[in-house]
């Protein structure tokens, strides 16, 4: 066998990284070429000028259960809108029944009694 060209790990790292990034750039170019030549893309035809779009319908107000303060509803709506949901997607704000703490306390009490 022949001797390696270099044993310096930094040179080997640079060569390997160059090869990897060259392959990634080549793949990116191939993907862009496929998007450009894509036969499944619908043909764009010349369109007549469109009429002005109609104003969207106002979003329905969410259903609020009794006992939920308006401030809580406002905070929940603001939090959901910060995640990208629109007012038309918030349909109801209602509390859910949770017995997790009650069940956890009972389980803890039983395990402490058995120990």
């Amino acid at each position: 066998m022949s001797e390696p060209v270099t044993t310096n790990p930094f040179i080997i790292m640079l060569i390997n990284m160059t090869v990897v990034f060259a392959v990634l750039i080549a793949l990116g170019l191939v993907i862009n070429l496929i998007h450009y030549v894509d036969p499944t893309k619908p043909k764009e035809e010349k369109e007549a000028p469109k009429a002005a779009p109609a104003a969207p319908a106002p979003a329905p107000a969410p259903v609020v259960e009794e006992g939920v303060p308006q401030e809580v509803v406002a905070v929940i709506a603001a939090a959901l809108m910060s995640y990208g949901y629109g007012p038309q997607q918030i349909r109801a704000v209602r509390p859910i029944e949770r017995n997790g703490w009650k069940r956890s306390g009972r389980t803890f009490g039983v395990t402490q009694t058995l120990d």
Side-chain angles (χ1 to χ4, degrees):
M1 293 202 84
S2 65
E3 299 256 341
V5 174
T6 181
T7 57
N8 187 347
F10 293 112
I11 301 286
I12 295 171
M13 178 196 67
L14 287 175
I15 292 170
N16 288 337
M17 287 181 66
T18 304
V19 168
V20 166
F21 281 109
V23 169
L24 287 175
I25 290 171
L27 285 174
L29 292 174
V30 168
I31 289 172
N32 286 335
L33 178 68
I34 289 173
H35 284 293
Y36 182 72
V37 184
D38 187 12
T40 62
K41 184 171 48 173
K43 304 276 186 211
E44 293 183 17
E45 295 181 15
K46 294 181 181 177
E47 298 178 11
K50 293 183 180 179
V63 177
V64 179
E65 295 284 327
E66 291 292 324
V68 179
Q70 291 296 326
E71 293 85 14
V72 173
V73 174
V75 169
I76 291 172
L80 290 173
M81 290 178 76
S82 72
Y83 276 107
Y85 294 101
Q88 67 274 14
Q89 293 172 311
I90 304 171
R91 294 192 180 89
V93 176
R94 59 182 173 268
I96 60 173
E97 176 110 11
R98 290 189 178 172
N99 294 326
W101 288 108
K102 189 186 306 181
R103 188 179 320 119
S104 176
R106 288 180 182 162
T107 305
F108 180 76
V110 169
T111 56
Q112 291 299 318
T113 305
L114 294 176
D115 288 340

